[in-house]
Amino acid sequence: MNTGLFITLEGPEGAGKTTQTARLASWLGDLGLAVHTTREPGAGKIGAQIRQVLLNPENVGLNPLTEALLMAADRAQHVADELRPALLQGQMVICDRYIDSHIAYQGYGRGLSVAWLQDLNKTATDGLLPDLTLLLQLPVQVGLARTKKRGDADRMEQEQLAFHQRLHDGYAAIAAAEPRRVRVINAAADEDAVQEQIRAAVGDVLLRKGLVAQDALR
Ligand code: TMP
């Protein structure tokens, strides 16, 4: 049985997941909780090698099925080596991207069967689902403009506008189908306001699970 809490951050390119993950981790640490931050794809030594194949802009020939299987392979290794052990130790695990990226990118983006991807994920994760998913939503054009500013687009960021629009729609469909797990965060707001929405959502779950007292959140 997991004793920790499993939180994932999801959303399109440029939604600010990395910054918000770091700030959330620091807040949870200040509450006296043990925190473990990680990401997909590419956590750990084996994951880093898989990530290199997946995101290298030179790999133009990578077909969608290979891409989906490599993402799942990365996830299987991550769950076994890092996520499950950290949760069993009672840690607050924050993961930048997880199964919903698979459904949005490989399902809605690439057009692979969502039902098949769901099955694949069940096997790859051995059924490990997040307690809470924070979906950082923002208009497609805003996200793309932010990534352009960063320069050096990876293989996914180089995709066309229509692909990113499908991702957006995919994420919206996931949130609509699973409102208990997925909380939609307005990521077009400024950084502090986004963090405030995130803390409110995480605070609710911490209280519900009895991991902090109400007083601690004031
Ligand atoms: P990022 O870590 O910089 O967000 O880059 C990871 C990229 O990989 C991003 O474009 C989303 C993509 N991705 C998938 O396509 N499927 C997945 O299952 C995951 C975890 C990520």
Side-chain angles (χ1 to χ4, degrees), residues 36-196:
H36 182 96
T37 57
T38 183
R39 69 163 179 180
E40 287 189 3
K45 218 170 148 190
I46 296 168
Q49 294 171 69
I50 299 176
R51 182 181 172 97
Q52 166 61 23
V53 176
L54 279 164
L55 298 185
N56 186 346
E58 285 175 16
N59 287 340
V60 278
L62 197 69
N63 84 42
L65 187 57
T66 311
E67 181 182 276
L69 292 167
L70 284 173
M71 291 288 180
D74 172 77
R75 184 160 304 124
Q77 192 75 31
H78 192 206
V79 169
D81 283 358
E82 204 172 319
L83 297 177
R84 281 258 195 235
L87 289 165
L88 284 169
Q89 285 169 11
Q91 304 204 46
M92 307 293 110
V93 176
I94 311 172
C95 188
D96 183 343
R97 296 195 184 280
Y98 190 60
I99 50 173
D100 300 310
S101 284
H102 214 193
I103 304 301
Y105 282 75
Q106 280 65 54
Y108 286 82
R110 301 285 190 223
L112 295 178
S113 156
V114 168
W116 176 72
L117 288 165
Q118 283 165 340
D119 276 353
L120 181 60
N121 272 311
K122 249 185 224 150
T123 306
T125 65
D126 194 23
L128 179 66
L129 282 171
D131 296 292
L132 173 68
T133 295
L134 301 159
L135 172 55
L136 274 59
Q137 274 291 37
L138 81 172
V140 177
Q141 302 277 15
V142 177
L144 287 178
R146 286 186 190 173
T147 46
K148 251 191 210 124
K149 254 199 221 154
R150 287 205 300 244
D152 273 353
D154 68 31
R155 204 175 54 80
M156 305 300 271
E157 287 163 356
Q158 285 176 355
E159 280 296 333
Q160 302 304 308
L161 185 61
F163 176 85
H164 292 282
Q165 186 60 55
R166 291 200 298 279
L167 295 185
H168 187 274
D169 298 345
Y171 273 130
I174 292 167
E178 290 184 74
R180 262 188 74 78
R181 173 174 69 85
V182 183
R183 287 278 292 262
V184 179
I185 305 293
N186 172 16
D190 70 47
E191 198 186 299
D192 288 348
V194 173
Q195 183 62 202
E196 215 170 283

